[in-house]
């Protein structure tokens, strides 16, 4: 088998907007992302894995994808994980660090290997012949536990982002997630992407129970509408998901081409659960630590915000959910209104949907801010195709002022989807992606 490495061609450019410098007393990172990343081998031609002679090396990991997108967008992001003391682990750490991610808390395990996987070139959602083969059993990351990762480092942040993928890797990994989602005084805002991966869970019913329990302990939850039906049997739209999951302060229900709906509830007071991250207006992701919660308690009804997704000419759906989460979290960290957070998520998802890779440098912040500020009519008219970020940047925002759509106004027939992407693409990296 021969393999080529395209890492050098995909190293991102420096972030266009580095954001504010860290001030006295601020946490070491704005966002900490915890989870396994693996080296991915993608065939250079279509066909069965048995027939493919050559592969291209890449990286895959839902949580590291989020960290890379946030770092490239100018945020202080840290990735925490374990890799083997091998060449694949070294490649993972170097590739993720190239996006500007702090990888100093990644542990090298001399006794366990870095996980790898192979997949066919076809899209798993469009081709019944899609194949993926994991070599991750006993990986270094599967040994993550409350005793093998630096808990203080995980909590030294404004936002801790985790996903349900980690819970499926081992009992120790599940114990770690349960520790991190336990409501405790002084914890950061906990962001949880359900990221249900059926192939990682031999018992679907048990998986649903585990993921629901973890989601109930989080402050901010991302879940696809179709994902909620598959994992929990919930039908009836976003409100039905909220009815089944009332505990998180913020619930983001992704609806594919229909956009996304956010439910937010303000909870302030002595009876507020420790760790509830969203409190007073303007506090943003900093939230209130338990010791800062005032004596009086007030629980307001949900504020519900829906934002449609722009039309997208999809090249490949893999990684769109991670990009959406990164865009929303970026808006949260910047204290943008909820609607703007959703639009940031849609735009970063569209950026990934219109390229073949599941990880790419996000558009300049000035561009996404300009598009996110469009009025409802202009936003609904967006049609984003391959190369849209370059065209918008070159046009200086002409489309935002009523000019042509980013792809010339045309979306390929049958290929259109919302930035939330078709089923499966709004729930994270490829099924093999960590």
């Amino acid at each position: 088998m021969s393999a080529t490495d395209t890492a050098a061609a995909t190293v991102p450019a420096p972030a266009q907007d580095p954001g504010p410098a860290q001030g006295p007393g601020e946490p070491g990172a704005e966002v900490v992302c915890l989870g396994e990343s693996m080296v991915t081998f993608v065939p250079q031609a279509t066909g069965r894995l048995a027939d493919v002679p050559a592969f291209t090396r890449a990286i895959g990991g839902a949580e590291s994808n989020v960290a890379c997108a946030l770092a490239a967008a100018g945020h202080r992001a840290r990735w925490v994980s374990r890799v083997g003391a091998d060449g694949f682990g070294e490649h993972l750490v170097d590739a993720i660090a190239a996006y500007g991610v702090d990888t100093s808390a990644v542990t090298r395990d001399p006794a366990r290997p870095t996980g790898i996987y192979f997949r066919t070139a076809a899209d798993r959602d469009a081709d019944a012949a899609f194949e993926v083969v994991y070599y991750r059993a006993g990986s270094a990351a599967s040994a993550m536990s409350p005793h093998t990762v630096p808990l203080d480092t995980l909590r030294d942040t404004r936002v801790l982002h985790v996903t349900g993928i980690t819970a499926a890797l081992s009992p120790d990994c599940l114990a770690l997630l349960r520790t991190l989602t336990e409501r405790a005084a002084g914890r950061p805002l906990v962001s949880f992407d359900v990221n249900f991966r059926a192939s990682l869970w031999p018992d679907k019913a048990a998986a649903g129970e585990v993921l629901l329990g973890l989601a109930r302990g989080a402050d901010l939850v991302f879940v696809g509408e179709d994902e909620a039906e598959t994992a929990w049997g919930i039908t009836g739209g976003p409100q039905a998901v909220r009815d089944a999951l009332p505990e998180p302060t913020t619930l983001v229900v992704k609806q594919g081409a229909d956009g996304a709906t956010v439910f937010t509830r303000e909870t302030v007071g002595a009876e507020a659960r420790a760790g509830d991250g969203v409190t007073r207006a303007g506090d943003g992701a900093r939230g209130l630590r338990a010791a800062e919660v005032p004596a009086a308690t007030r629980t307001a009804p949900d504020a519900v915000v829906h934002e449609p997704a722009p039309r997208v000419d999809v090249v490949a759906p893999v990684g769109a959910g991670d990009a959406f989460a990164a865009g929303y979290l970026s808006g949260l960290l910047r204290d943008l209104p909820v609607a703007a957070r959703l639009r940031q998520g849609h735009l970063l998802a569209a950026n990934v949907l219109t390229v073949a890779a599941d990880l790419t440098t996000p558009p300049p912040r000035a561009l996404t801010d300009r598009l996110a500020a469009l009025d409802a009519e202009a936003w609904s008219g967006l049609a984003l195709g391959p190369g849209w970020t370059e065209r918008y940047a070159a046009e200086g925002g002409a489309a935002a002022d009523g000019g042509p759509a980013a792809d010339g106004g045309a979306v390929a027939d049958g290929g259109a989807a919302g930035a939330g992407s078709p089923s499966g693409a709004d729930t994270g990296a490829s099924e093999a992606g960590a």
Side-chain angles (χ1 to χ4, degrees):
M1 178 185 72
S2 64
T4 60
D5 185 0
T6 60
T10 59
V11 173
Q16 289 86 358
D17 184 350
Q22 182 177 345
E26 291 186 8
E30 291 180 279
V31 178
V32 170
C33 300
L34 167 80
E36 180 175 29
S37 292
M38 296 185 293
V39 171
T40 312
F41 289 96
V42 182
Q44 295 179 358
T46 58
R48 301 185 311 152
L49 285 179
D51 301 325
V52 174
F55 295 77
T56 296
R57 183 175 68 170
I59 64 174
E63 302 86 358
S64 60
N65 283 351
V66 173
C68 288
L70 284 167
H75 295 284
R76 299 192 313 276
R78 176 182 296 134
W79 173 56
V80 178
S81 189
R82 291 170 61 84
V83 299
D86 49 37
F88 288 144
E90 182 178 354
H91 172 66
L92 273 177
V93 173
D94 289 348
I96 293 169
Y99 280 83
V101 177
D102 177 358
T103 60
S104 61
V106 176
T107 302
R108 275 75 166 179
D109 188 329
R112 298 177 179 85
T114 303
I116 65 172
Y117 68 91
F118 295 78
R119 67 175 177 88
T120 50
D123 169 33
R124 72 177 185 275
D125 297 310
D127 193 330
F130 176 82
E131 298 174 73
V132 59
V133 180
Y134 296 100
Y135 295 93
R136 75 192 307 174
S139 70
S142 70
M144 291 189 295
S145 78
H147 309 291
T148 60
V149 298
L151 296 181
D152 289 345
T153 298
L154 291 174
R155 291 165 176 156
D156 182 25
T157 183
R158 292 174 62 185
V159 177
L160 171 62
H161 180 73
V162 295
T163 83
I165 294 172
T166 302
L169 300 182
S170 70
D172 281 344
C173 285
L174 175 55
L176 174 60
L177 282 199
R178 283 177 168 157
T179 296
L180 296 174
T181 55
E182 179 181 354
R183 298 192 182 275
R187 81 174 193 182
L189 185 148
V190 176
S191 167
F192 178 69
D193 191 337
V194 172
N195 244 322
F196 176 61
R197 291 282 174 264
S199 62
L200 297 179
W201 296 92
D203 187 335
K204 177 182 171 183
E209 183 178 351
V210 167
L211 294 172
L212 190 60
L214 294 171
R216 285 174 170 159
D219 305 305
L220 165 62
V221 173
F222 297 95
V223 64
E225 190 176 23
D226 57 346
E227 189 178 27
E229 180 177 0
T230 303
W232 302 324
I234 297 173
T235 58
Q239 185 61 58
V241 181
R242 182 52 157 172
D243 291 342
L245 192 57
E247 294 87 355
T249 305
T250 303
L251 173 66
V252 182
V253 181
K254 298 174 288 183
Q255 300 168 264
D258 292 332
T261 300
V262 174
F263 300 84
T264 58
R265 181 171 56 253
E266 183 176 334
T267 303
V268 177
E271 296 175 14
R273 290 182 297 269
D276 278 355
V278 179
T279 54
R280 300 191 191 96
D283 282 340
R286 290 178 176 84
L288 292 178
R289 304 286 180 161
E292 299 172 288
V293 174
T297 299
R298 178 166 62 87
T299 301
D302 274 332
V304 183
V305 177
H306 174 82
E307 278 294 327
R311 289 175 295 148
V312 178
D313 185 4
V314 177
V315 173
V318 179
D322 304 331
F324 178 89
Y328 186 93
L329 289 172
S330 177
L332 173 68
L333 291 164
R334 296 165 57 201
D335 290 328
L336 299 183
V338 171
R341 299 174 195 177
L342 286 173
R343 288 189 174 188
Q344 293 284 341
H346 287 322
L347 290 167
L348 264 63
N351 185 51
V352 172
L353 287 168
T354 51
V355 299
D358 62 348
L359 178 61
T360 186
T361 304
R365 181 180 290 181
L367 174 58
T368 59
D369 283 350
R370 186 165 65 243
L371 295 180
L374 291 172
D375 61 33
E377 182 179 2
W379 175 261
S380 66
L382 285 180
L384 308 176
W388 68 269
T389 59
E390 292 84 355
R391 278 194 282 274
Y392 264 129
E395 293 167 4
D401 298 323
D407 63 347
V411 176
D413 291 340
S421 78
S423 176
D426 64 345
T427 54
S430 72
E431 189 157 3

